[in-house]
Amino acid sequence: MNAKTIGMCLLGLFVAVSAGPAHAATETVGGITYTYDIYSGAAYLGNSGSSPAIDRNTAGTIVTPTTLGGVPVTSIGPGAFWYCSNLTSIVVSEGVRYIGDYAFSFCAGITNLTIASTVTSDPAGIFRGLDSLRTLTLPRSCLTWAQSSGYPGVDYTLPAAVAAQITSVTLCGNQWTEIPKQTFARFYSLKSITIPAEVTNIESYAFAYCTNLETVTFAEPSSLRTIGEAAFTGCSKLRAISLPDSVTNIETAAFANNVSLGSVRLGTGLA
């Protein structure tokens, strides 16, 4: 059984669970025709998961519509853009709250995926098969992939090969109160990161072995208090870092094995 067949079986499982009464409609926005349902006064891209949201051969950039059928788009169904391999960029517009499992899986041509700060769901499998992904924008809600799944057989992982090629990550929204353990470890191509002002704790190994990381910026006014054990260990291209005054605790080996690091500015919280 090949990867696509396995993936289709998994998608079918989630479709069977999530599908409701079908009242599909279509509307063309920006030259792209979208299939959608309307439930409780809001639009749901992809006919409740039972059909794709767009033609699989659609090429170029998708910016999901903010309204369809005269109502706001708040949901993207399971597999809505599954195997749309000619797309180069997917931007989930602000206002979307739910993204279904495998919504973007195997969009092998996309180099950019932007997930709106309003998204509160944590879909499985959305990063599978994103072989060309280079830039990623995501809210705090979409982070189960960085941790172990509590649901055997459900894919909440960010494949290592995908993580290794991402050059830019933007952390959007105001829910980033911590960077969880190992979240961006071994993002080997990541060049820079801005830590949101709301973050109070960068947990252990959060950016470990990001071997191309050159710049770490802390948004102001920073709330950061703790930099965890080995949080930035092995970031061999990081040359300088200026810590905000709010930092009061740096744990063991936070900047270990950073062979190029020549300057660390300690804020007043560590003076």
Side-chain angles (χ1 to χ4, degrees):
M1 186 178 290
N2 61 34
K4 183 172 183 178
T5 302
I6 294 170
M8 291 297 288
C9 291
L10 289 169
L11 178 60
L13 171 62
F14 291 108
V15 167
V17 170
S18 63
H23 305 286
T26 60
E27 183 174 331
T28 300
V29 178
I32 298 171
T33 299
Y34 295 88
T35 298
Y36 67 96
D37 286 340
I38 294 178
Y39 288 93
S40 302
Y44 184 113
L45 277 179
N47 189 20
S48 302
S50 60
S51 69
I54 59 173
D55 185 285
R56 297 289 191 224
N57 295 316
T58 302
T61 296
I62 286 285
V63 178
T64 62
T66 55
T67 61
L68 287 170
V71 298
V73 175
T74 61
S75 300
I76 297 175
F81 299 102
W82 175 274
Y83 275 99
C84 291
S85 55
N86 293 322
L87 292 178
T88 56
S89 176
I90 298 175
V91 178
V92 177
S93 297
E94 294 295 307
V96 171
R97 297 193 297 271
Y98 168 82
I99 298 175
D101 296 333
Y102 301 93
F104 315 121
S105 297
F106 302 103
C107 290
I110 69 167
T111 59
N112 171 71
L113 175 59
T114 298
I115 300 176
S117 65
T118 49
V119 171
T120 58
S121 63
D122 191 7
I126 59 171
F127 300 105
R128 289 192 66 186
L130 303 189
D131 297 339
S132 302
L133 188 64
R134 296 295 183 272
T135 63
L136 176 64
T137 300
L138 77 165
R140 174 64 180 84
S141 61
C142 296
L143 270 193
T144 300
W145 53 261
Q147 303 160 27
S148 60
S149 171
Y151 303 92
V154 179
D155 180 9
Y156 281 101
T157 62
L158 178 66
V162 175
Q165 66 193 10
I166 293 174
T167 61
S168 174
V169 173
T170 300
L171 309 180
C172 68
N174 58 7
Q175 302 302 312
W176 288 94
T177 57
E178 82 290 334
I179 310 293
K181 180 179 180 180
Q182 299 182 17
T183 298
F184 301 106
R186 294 181 172 85
F187 273 51
Y188 295 123
S189 299
L190 185 65
K191 294 181 178 180
S192 65
I193 189 71
T194 296
I195 308 299
E198 296 80 10
V199 171
T200 62
N201 184 13
I202 300 175
E203 296 184 0
S204 59
Y205 294 89
F207 295 96
Y209 308 110
C210 292
T211 52
N212 278 291
L213 184 64
E214 297 177 348
T215 305
V216 178
T217 303
F218 300 93
E220 294 291 348
S222 178
S223 302
L224 186 64
R225 298 286 186 270
T226 298
I227 299 176
E229 179 184 359
F232 293 94
T233 191
C235 297
S236 54
K237 287 192 176 181
L238 186 62
R239 296 182 179 278
I241 190 166
S242 180
L243 301 181
D245 292 339
S246 57
V247 174
T248 58
N249 181 35
I250 299 177
E251 296 184 356
T252 304
F255 298 99
N257 302 313
N258 291 352
V259 295
S260 299
L261 188 60
S263 173
V264 177
R265 176 197 172 274
L266 302 179
T268 57
L270 293 165

